[in-house]
Amino acid sequence: MALTSEEIRRYDRQIILPELGLSGQQKLKEARVLVVGCGGLGCPVLLYLAAAGTGTIGIVEDDTVALSNLQRQIMYTTDTVGEPKLQEATKRLKMLNPLVNFIGYHTRLMAENALEIISNYDIVVDGTDNFQTRYLVNDACVMLNKPYVYGAINRFEGHVALFNYNESATYRDLFPSPPPPEQAPNCAEAGVLGVLPGIIGSIQALEAIKAITGIGEPLAGKLLIMDTLSMQSRMVRIPKIPGTPAINKLIDYEAFCGVPADTSEPLDEISYEAYMRLTESCADEPLFQLIDVREKHEYDRFNINGELMPLSELEKHLDKIRLDQTVVIHCQSGIRSRKAISLLKEKYGFNNLINLSGGINAIVAPGS
């Protein structure tokens, strides 16, 4: 595993750093890093870890490239839309650095496979955007005693921390319990400035390199919060919560985070085009009640004349939901409207609800 002359030439600009040197580069070559997700955060993480000479990089990803990804997921191009992200990312990374060993897992990280996959690596970098995967990664890392590099982005703000490093705080010390699903929008719902994941993902890669090589002061027990609109950042200490129960098994993280379980019964959906055809054909006697479950600022920016009942306040508007008509519910992308329908069906027994497929995104950007 000694560094070759080609590796010394390739990594010369960081080897000459006295804090890193040949010994640090050797540690990078011997390191095995797992990156969960190669989306907005995963792209810069993977590019910089590969460029730095990380010896083995595992990649967990089962999604395909979408046109809406290209604004921030910098490893993909227009002609890769529809292709598997894992395939395209691996191809791009091998072109960047053929000396790195890449191992792909074309799957979601789940309770059933997390321990087996993570056990093969020294450190895990999380590039996902949902709470259930973050708790899963954290718990598996705690059980296996692996450091976990956390990153999160929302609109213009990003977070980075290093968990479970030399007995430092874990993700559960920062978030002992998950927020309600309606208060945890992802990028498709809340939006994100394209450059933000590049900044936060690069910091995640930096923290992984610091943890591997032992240089600098890692973000262990600390949360870095960065606001890119003001370019202000602050550091928050994350103390360990005393008396926290030991983690000795992985659980159902979908249920833990309140995500409705998939059922065999498909969700009734209608496209915007079909909705408009039916509406226009029965203009004198409306067939549908249209409900918009986005937030007011989204509604004010653009709407299709639905009745505003934000998901976060939906239960306050139950008396406004018609029982004598079919009710079409929509949001920005179809995610919150699905949550609204699940809530109304399961908790209040509504059986006249239809989801507007793709939400506003399918109207303002058809086919994207």
Side-chain angles (χ1 to χ4, degrees), residues 70-87:
L70 302 183
Q71 160 254 12
R72 64 197 179 282
Q73 299 182 20
I74 55 176
M75 277 199 289
Y76 313 117
T77 56
T78 304
D79 60 356
T80 65
V81 170
E83 298 296 329
K85 287 184 181 179
L86 179 61
Q87 167 190 298

Side-chain angles (χ1 to χ4, degrees), residues 28-29 34 60 63 94-95 116 138-139 151 155 158 195 211 215 227 237 242 286 297 303 311 349:
L28 280 172
K29 180 175 181 177
L34 180 69
V60 181
D63 201 3
K94 286 181 176 178
M95 291 173 62
E116 180 181 357
N138 175 81
D139 292 1
R155 292 171 51 80
V195 71
I215 65 172
D227 179 353
R237 192 174 69 87
H297 69 273
N303 68 78
L311 178 60

Side-chain angles (χ1 to χ4, degrees), residues 74-143:
I74 55 176
M75 277 199 289
Y76 313 117
T77 56
T78 304
D79 60 356
T80 65
V81 170
E83 298 296 329
K85 287 184 181 179
L86 179 61
Q87 167 190 298
E88 297 304 317
T90 303
K91 186 189 307 181
R92 172 72 177 84
L93 292 166
K94 286 181 176 178
M95 291 173 62
L96 174 63
N97 193 347
L99 304 181
V100 173
N101 177 34
F102 298 101
I103 303 173
Y105 303 89
H106 194 267
T107 182
R108 287 179 57 210
L109 194 72
M110 301 175 289
E112 292 79 10
N113 62 19
L115 293 175
E116 180 181 357
I117 293 174
I118 292 175
S119 64
N120 296 304
Y121 295 88
D122 305 316
I123 187 170
V124 180
V125 184
D126 180 14
T128 62
D129 66 352
N130 62 81
F131 281 89
Q132 53 268 34
T133 305
R134 291 169 187 157
Y135 280 103
L136 169 60
V137 170
N138 175 81
D139 292 1
C141 285
V142 169
M143 290 176 66

Side-chain angles (χ1 to χ4, degrees), residues 41 124-126 131 134 148-153 159-163 171 174-175 200 204 223:
L41 291 172
V124 180
V125 184
D126 180 14
F131 281 89
R134 291 169 187 157
Y148 160 31
V149 183
Y150 157 74
I153 50 176
H159 296 179
V160 186
L162 176 61
F163 295 119
Y171 183 72
L174 178 62
F175 295 111
I200 299 303
Q204 286 183 277
L223 176 69

